[in-house]
mmCIF file of all heavy atoms in Angstrom:
data_model
loop_
_atom_site.group_PDB
_atom_site.id
_atom_site.type_symbol
_atom_site.label_atom_id
_atom_site.label_comp_id
_atom_site.label_asym_id
_atom_site.label_seq_id
_atom_site.Cartn_x
_atom_site.Cartn_y
_atom_site.Cartn_z
ATOM 1 N N GLY A 29 76.946 45.623 -46.782
ATOM 2 C CA GLY A 29 77.340 45.277 -45.423
ATOM 3 C C GLY A 29 76.561 46.127 -44.442
ATOM 4 O O GLY A 29 76.439 47.344 -44.632
ATOM 5 N N ILE A 30 76.025 45.509 -43.419
ATOM 6 C CA ILE A 30 75.355 46.282 -42.381
ATOM 7 C C ILE A 30 76.115 46.113 -41.072
ATOM 8 O O ILE A 30 76.473 45.008 -40.678
ATOM 9 C CB ILE A 30 73.866 45.902 -42.230
ATOM 10 C CG1 ILE A 30 73.681 44.441 -41.817
ATOM 11 C CG2 ILE A 30 73.115 46.166 -43.518
ATOM 12 C CD1 ILE A 30 72.241 44.105 -41.471
ATOM 13 N N TYR A 31 76.398 47.243 -40.448
ATOM 14 C CA TYR A 31 77.115 47.241 -39.175
ATOM 15 C C TYR A 31 76.080 47.364 -38.059
ATOM 16 O O TYR A 31 75.239 48.262 -38.080
ATOM 17 C CB TYR A 31 78.110 48.396 -39.091
ATOM 18 C CG TYR A 31 78.949 48.340 -37.838
ATOM 19 C CD1 TYR A 31 80.212 47.765 -37.856
ATOM 20 C CD2 TYR A 31 78.458 48.819 -36.627
ATOM 21 C CE1 TYR A 31 80.970 47.675 -36.702
ATOM 22 C CE2 TYR A 31 79.206 48.722 -35.465
ATOM 23 C CZ TYR A 31 80.464 48.155 -35.506
ATOM 24 O OH TYR A 31 81.207 48.061 -34.355
ATOM 25 N N VAL A 32 76.156 46.467 -37.091
ATOM 26 C CA VAL A 32 75.211 46.467 -35.974
ATOM 27 C C VAL A 32 76.009 46.524 -34.676
ATOM 28 O O VAL A 32 76.917 45.708 -34.475
ATOM 29 C CB VAL A 32 74.330 45.201 -36.005
ATOM 30 C CG1 VAL A 32 73.387 45.181 -34.796
ATOM 31 C CG2 VAL A 32 73.533 45.143 -37.303
ATOM 32 N N PRO A 33 75.715 47.478 -33.790
ATOM 33 C CA PRO A 33 76.417 47.526 -32.504
ATOM 34 C C PRO A 33 76.170 46.256 -31.704
ATOM 35 O O PRO A 33 75.135 45.599 -31.855
ATOM 36 C CB PRO A 33 75.787 48.744 -31.805
ATOM 37 C CG PRO A 33 75.222 49.569 -32.910
ATOM 38 C CD PRO A 33 74.768 48.585 -33.956
ATOM 39 N N GLY A 34 77.122 45.919 -30.848
ATOM 40 C CA GLY A 34 76.981 44.718 -30.023
ATOM 41 C C GLY A 34 77.233 45.027 -28.565
ATOM 42 O O GLY A 34 77.388 46.179 -28.170
ATOM 43 N N GLY A 35 77.289 44.007 -27.757
ATOM 44 C CA GLY A 35 77.520 44.194 -26.323
ATOM 45 C C GLY A 35 76.318 44.827 -25.651
ATOM 46 O O GLY A 35 75.173 44.462 -25.894
ATOM 47 N N LYS A 36 76.573 45.842 -24.809
ATOM 48 C CA LYS A 36 75.486 46.517 -24.109
ATOM 49 C C LYS A 36 74.553 47.219 -25.085
ATOM 50 O O LYS A 36 73.351 47.315 -24.871
ATOM 51 C CB LYS A 36 76.060 47.524 -23.110
ATOM 52 C CG LYS A 36 76.791 46.890 -21.935
ATOM 53 C CD LYS A 36 77.303 47.953 -20.972
ATOM 54 C CE LYS A 36 78.027 47.325 -19.797
ATOM 55 N NZ LYS A 36 78.559 48.353 -18.859
ATOM 56 N N ALA A 37 75.120 47.769 -26.155
ATOM 57 C CA ALA A 37 74.309 48.469 -27.152
ATOM 58 C C ALA A 37 73.882 47.473 -28.220
ATOM 59 O O ALA A 37 74.473 47.388 -29.288
ATOM 60 C CB ALA A 37 75.112 49.616 -27.777
ATOM 61 N N ALA A 38 72.885 46.662 -27.888
ATOM 62 C CA ALA A 38 72.411 45.640 -28.818
ATOM 63 C C ALA A 38 71.058 46.067 -29.374
ATOM 64 O O ALA A 38 70.101 46.236 -28.608
ATOM 65 C CB ALA A 38 72.294 44.306 -28.092
ATOM 66 N N TYR A 39 70.995 46.251 -30.675
ATOM 67 C CA TYR A 39 69.790 46.815 -31.291
ATOM 68 C C TYR A 39 69.251 45.915 -32.399
ATOM 69 O O TYR A 39 69.595 46.084 -33.572
ATOM 70 C CB TYR A 39 70.084 48.202 -31.853
ATOM 71 C CG TYR A 39 70.533 49.211 -30.824
ATOM 72 C CD1 TYR A 39 71.804 49.781 -30.887
ATOM 73 C CD2 TYR A 39 69.692 49.580 -29.784
ATOM 74 C CE1 TYR A 39 72.217 50.707 -29.951
ATOM 75 C CE2 TYR A 39 70.097 50.502 -28.834
ATOM 76 C CZ TYR A 39 71.362 51.070 -28.920
ATOM 77 O OH TYR A 39 71.761 51.979 -27.982
ATOM 78 N N PRO A 40 68.383 44.955 -32.072
ATOM 79 C CA PRO A 40 67.782 44.139 -33.119
ATOM 80 C C PRO A 40 66.981 44.973 -34.113
ATOM 81 O O PRO A 40 66.869 44.622 -35.286
ATOM 82 C CB PRO A 40 66.883 43.165 -32.344
ATOM 83 C CG PRO A 40 66.688 43.779 -30.996
ATOM 84 C CD PRO A 40 67.933 44.549 -30.724
ATOM 85 N N SER A 41 66.425 46.090 -33.643
ATOM 86 C CA SER A 41 65.663 46.949 -34.547
ATOM 87 C C SER A 41 66.540 47.503 -35.659
ATOM 88 O O SER A 41 66.090 47.675 -36.799
ATOM 89 C CB SER A 41 65.018 48.102 -33.772
ATOM 90 O OG SER A 41 65.994 48.865 -33.089
ATOM 91 N N SER A 42 67.815 47.773 -35.354
ATOM 92 C CA SER A 42 68.730 48.278 -36.382
ATOM 93 C C SER A 42 69.002 47.233 -37.458
ATOM 94 O O SER A 42 69.198 47.564 -38.624
ATOM 95 C CB SER A 42 70.060 48.712 -35.751
ATOM 96 O OG SER A 42 69.901 49.921 -35.041
ATOM 97 N N VAL A 43 69.007 45.968 -37.054
ATOM 98 C CA VAL A 43 69.189 44.892 -38.036
ATOM 99 C C VAL A 43 68.048 44.932 -39.046
ATOM 100 O O VAL A 43 68.264 44.926 -40.263
ATOM 101 C CB VAL A 43 69.227 43.516 -37.343
ATOM 102 C CG1 VAL A 43 69.391 42.416 -38.391
ATOM 103 C CG2 VAL A 43 70.351 43.450 -36.324
ATOM 104 N N ILE A 44 66.827 44.989 -38.546
ATOM 105 C CA ILE A 44 65.654 44.989 -39.425
ATOM 106 C C ILE A 44 65.635 46.225 -40.302
ATOM 107 O O ILE A 44 65.387 46.148 -41.517
ATOM 108 C CB ILE A 44 64.364 44.902 -38.578
ATOM 109 C CG1 ILE A 44 64.275 43.514 -37.923
ATOM 110 C CG2 ILE A 44 63.129 45.174 -39.423
ATOM 111 C CD1 ILE A 44 63.162 43.378 -36.910
ATOM 112 N N MET A 45 65.930 47.397 -39.730
ATOM 113 C CA MET A 45 65.851 48.653 -40.480
ATOM 114 C C MET A 45 66.920 48.755 -41.566
ATOM 115 O O MET A 45 66.710 49.413 -42.582
ATOM 116 C CB MET A 45 65.982 49.837 -39.526
ATOM 117 C CG MET A 45 64.826 49.992 -38.562
ATOM 118 S SD MET A 45 63.288 50.412 -39.413
ATOM 119 C CE MET A 45 62.147 50.483 -38.015
ATOM 120 N N ASN A 46 68.056 48.110 -41.375
ATOM 121 C CA ASN A 46 69.117 48.158 -42.377
ATOM 122 C C ASN A 46 69.005 47.033 -43.397
ATOM 123 O O ASN A 46 69.231 47.235 -44.588
ATOM 124 C CB ASN A 46 70.490 48.118 -41.706
ATOM 125 C CG ASN A 46 70.889 49.449 -41.117
ATOM 126 O OD1 ASN A 46 71.455 50.301 -41.791
ATOM 127 N ND2 ASN A 46 70.558 49.655 -39.848
ATOM 128 N N ALA A 47 68.649 45.850 -42.929
ATOM 129 C CA ALA A 47 68.627 44.695 -43.831
ATOM 130 C C ALA A 47 67.368 44.627 -44.688
ATOM 131 O O ALA A 47 67.431 44.241 -45.854
ATOM 132 C CB ALA A 47 68.772 43.405 -43.025
ATOM 133 N N MET A 48 66.226 44.982 -44.128
ATOM 134 C CA MET A 48 64.968 44.784 -44.845
ATOM 135 C C MET A 48 64.871 45.610 -46.138
ATOM 136 O O MET A 48 64.463 45.074 -47.180
ATOM 137 C CB MET A 48 63.777 45.058 -43.934
ATOM 138 C CG MET A 48 62.464 44.530 -44.498
ATOM 139 S SD MET A 48 62.547 42.761 -44.935
ATOM 140 C CE MET A 48 62.515 42.000 -43.317
ATOM 141 N N PRO A 49 65.228 46.905 -46.127
ATOM 142 C CA PRO A 49 65.168 47.632 -47.404
ATOM 143 C C PRO A 49 66.146 47.089 -48.435
ATOM 144 O O PRO A 49 65.858 47.132 -49.641
ATOM 145 C CB PRO A 49 65.495 49.081 -47.023
ATOM 146 C CG PRO A 49 66.111 49.021 -45.686
ATOM 147 C CD PRO A 49 65.527 47.817 -45.008
ATOM 148 N N ALA A 50 67.283 46.567 -47.993
ATOM 149 C CA ALA A 50 68.225 45.949 -48.931
ATOM 150 C C ALA A 50 67.607 44.701 -49.538
ATOM 151 O O ALA A 50 67.707 44.446 -50.751
ATOM 152 C CB ALA A 50 69.535 45.604 -48.225
ATOM 153 N N HIS A 51 66.945 43.922 -48.698
ATOM 154 C CA HIS A 51 66.263 42.710 -49.159
ATOM 155 C C HIS A 51 65.169 43.069 -50.166
ATOM 156 O O HIS A 51 65.054 42.449 -51.230
ATOM 157 C CB HIS A 51 65.667 41.980 -47.955
ATOM 158 C CG HIS A 51 64.902 40.751 -48.282
ATOM 159 N ND1 HIS A 51 65.501 39.579 -48.693
ATOM 160 C CD2 HIS A 51 63.567 40.501 -48.275
ATOM 161 C CE1 HIS A 51 64.571 38.675 -48.920
ATOM 162 N NE2 HIS A 51 63.381 39.208 -48.671
ATOM 163 N N VAL A 52 64.377 44.087 -49.851
ATOM 164 C CA VAL A 52 63.300 44.528 -50.741
ATOM 165 C C VAL A 52 63.858 45.022 -52.069
ATOM 166 O O VAL A 52 63.282 44.779 -53.139
ATOM 167 C CB VAL A 52 62.464 45.634 -50.063
ATOM 168 C CG1 VAL A 52 61.514 46.296 -51.064
ATOM 169 C CG2 VAL A 52 61.675 45.056 -48.893
ATOM 170 N N ALA A 53 65.005 45.698 -52.025
ATOM 171 C CA ALA A 53 65.612 46.235 -53.246
ATOM 172 C C ALA A 53 66.127 45.140 -54.176
ATOM 173 O O ALA A 53 66.354 45.382 -55.362
ATOM 174 C CB ALA A 53 66.755 47.179 -52.888
ATOM 175 N N GLY A 54 66.318 43.932 -53.637
ATOM 176 C CA GLY A 54 66.806 42.829 -54.456
ATOM 177 C C GLY A 54 68.279 42.543 -54.293
ATOM 178 O O GLY A 54 68.876 41.830 -55.115
ATOM 179 N N VAL A 55 68.904 43.085 -53.232
ATOM 180 C CA VAL A 55 70.316 42.808 -52.969
ATOM 181 C C VAL A 55 70.489 41.320 -52.701
ATOM 182 O O VAL A 55 69.778 40.733 -51.881
ATOM 183 C CB VAL A 55 70.816 43.636 -51.770
ATOM 184 C CG1 VAL A 55 72.262 43.274 -51.426
ATOM 185 C CG2 VAL A 55 70.696 45.130 -52.062
ATOM 186 N N LYS A 56 71.441 40.697 -53.394
ATOM 187 C CA LYS A 56 71.604 39.246 -53.297
ATOM 188 C C LYS A 56 72.322 38.807 -52.028
ATOM 189 O O LYS A 56 72.030 37.752 -51.473
ATOM 190 C CB LYS A 56 72.355 38.726 -54.529
ATOM 191 C CG LYS A 56 71.568 38.861 -55.825
ATOM 192 C CD LYS A 56 72.375 38.371 -57.017
ATOM 193 C CE LYS A 56 71.588 38.525 -58.316
ATOM 194 N NZ LYS A 56 72.375 38.127 -59.506
ATOM 195 N N GLU A 57 73.297 39.606 -51.581
ATOM 196 C CA GLU A 57 74.059 39.235 -50.389
ATOM 197 C C GLU A 57 74.037 40.368 -49.377
ATOM 198 O O GLU A 57 74.407 41.496 -49.698
ATOM 199 C CB GLU A 57 75.513 38.919 -50.747
ATOM 200 C CG GLU A 57 75.733 37.605 -51.458
ATOM 201 C CD GLU A 57 77.218 37.319 -51.594
ATOM 202 O OE1 GLU A 57 77.841 36.925 -50.590
ATOM 203 O OE2 GLU A 57 77.753 37.508 -52.702
ATOM 204 N N ILE A 58 73.589 40.056 -48.168
ATOM 205 C CA ILE A 58 73.594 41.022 -47.076
ATOM 206 C C ILE A 58 74.509 40.482 -45.994
ATOM 207 O O ILE A 58 74.201 39.483 -45.331
ATOM 208 C CB ILE A 58 72.168 41.237 -46.524
ATOM 209 C CG1 ILE A 58 71.217 41.692 -47.646
ATOM 210 C CG2 ILE A 58 72.189 42.272 -45.399
ATOM 211 C CD1 ILE A 58 69.763 41.768 -47.223
ATOM 212 N N ILE A 59 75.667 41.111 -45.844
ATOM 213 C CA ILE A 59 76.688 40.672 -44.890
ATOM 214 C C ILE A 59 76.599 41.549 -43.646
ATOM 215 O O ILE A 59 76.644 42.772 -43.743
ATOM 216 C CB ILE A 59 78.103 40.790 -45.494
ATOM 217 C CG1 ILE A 59 78.190 40.084 -46.848
ATOM 218 C CG2 ILE A 59 79.140 40.253 -44.515
ATOM 219 C CD1 ILE A 59 77.933 38.605 -46.801
ATOM 220 N N MET A 60 76.461 40.940 -42.500
ATOM 221 C CA MET A 60 76.339 41.701 -41.254
ATOM 222 C C MET A 60 77.565 41.497 -40.380
ATOM 223 O O MET A 60 78.081 40.389 -40.266
ATOM 224 C CB MET A 60 75.082 41.248 -40.497
ATOM 225 C CG MET A 60 74.799 42.011 -39.213
ATOM 226 S SD MET A 60 73.205 41.505 -38.497
ATOM 227 C CE MET A 60 73.756 40.691 -36.991
ATOM 228 N N THR A 61 78.023 42.583 -39.776
ATOM 229 C CA THR A 61 79.078 42.479 -38.770
ATOM 230 C C THR A 61 78.516 42.981 -37.446
ATOM 231 O O THR A 61 77.798 43.974 -37.395
ATOM 232 C CB THR A 61 80.327 43.304 -39.137
ATOM 233 O OG1 THR A 61 79.982 44.698 -39.222
ATOM 234 C CG2 THR A 61 80.919 42.843 -40.460
ATOM 235 N N VAL A 62 78.832 42.268 -36.377
ATOM 236 C CA VAL A 62 78.383 42.664 -35.046
ATOM 237 C C VAL A 62 79.437 42.224 -34.042
ATOM 238 O O VAL A 62 79.825 41.058 -34.014
ATOM 239 C CB VAL A 62 77.002 42.047 -34.709
ATOM 240 C CG1 VAL A 62 77.009 40.529 -34.839
ATOM 241 C CG2 VAL A 62 76.539 42.480 -33.322
#
Protein backbone atom coordinates (compact mmCIF):
# COMPACT_ATOMS: atom_id res chain seq x y z
CA GLY A 1 0.00 0.00 0.00
CA ILE A 2 1.29 3.44 -0.82
CA TYR A 3 -0.03 6.47 1.01
CA VAL A 4 -0.06 9.71 -1.00
CA PRO A 5 -1.00 13.10 0.50
CA GLY A 6 -3.93 14.86 -1.13
CA GLY A 7 -5.57 18.26 -1.22
CA LYS A 8 -3.13 21.17 -1.14
CA ALA A 9 -0.23 18.79 -0.53
CA ALA A 10 -0.49 16.89 -3.81
CA TYR A 11 2.71 15.12 -4.80
CA PRO A 12 2.68 13.12 -8.04
CA SER A 13 6.41 12.61 -7.57
CA SER A 14 5.70 10.64 -4.38
CA VAL A 15 3.45 8.30 -6.35
CA ILE A 16 6.26 7.50 -8.78
CA MET A 17 8.92 7.17 -6.06
CA ASN A 18 6.83 4.75 -4.00
CA ALA A 19 5.13 2.73 -6.71
CA MET A 20 7.92 2.31 -9.25
CA PRO A 21 10.39 0.37 -7.05
CA ALA A 22 7.52 -1.90 -5.97
CA HIS A 23 6.67 -2.47 -9.62
CA VAL A 24 10.33 -3.20 -10.44
CA ALA A 25 10.56 -5.63 -7.51
CA GLY A 26 7.69 -7.66 -8.99
CA VAL A 27 4.92 -6.75 -6.53
CA LYS A 28 1.67 -7.96 -8.07
CA GLU A 29 -0.72 -5.52 -6.40
CA ILE A 30 0.01 -1.88 -5.60
CA ILE A 31 -2.87 -0.30 -3.69
CA MET A 32 -2.82 3.48 -3.33
CA THR A 33 -4.75 5.63 -0.90
CA VAL A 34 -5.07 9.38 -1.39
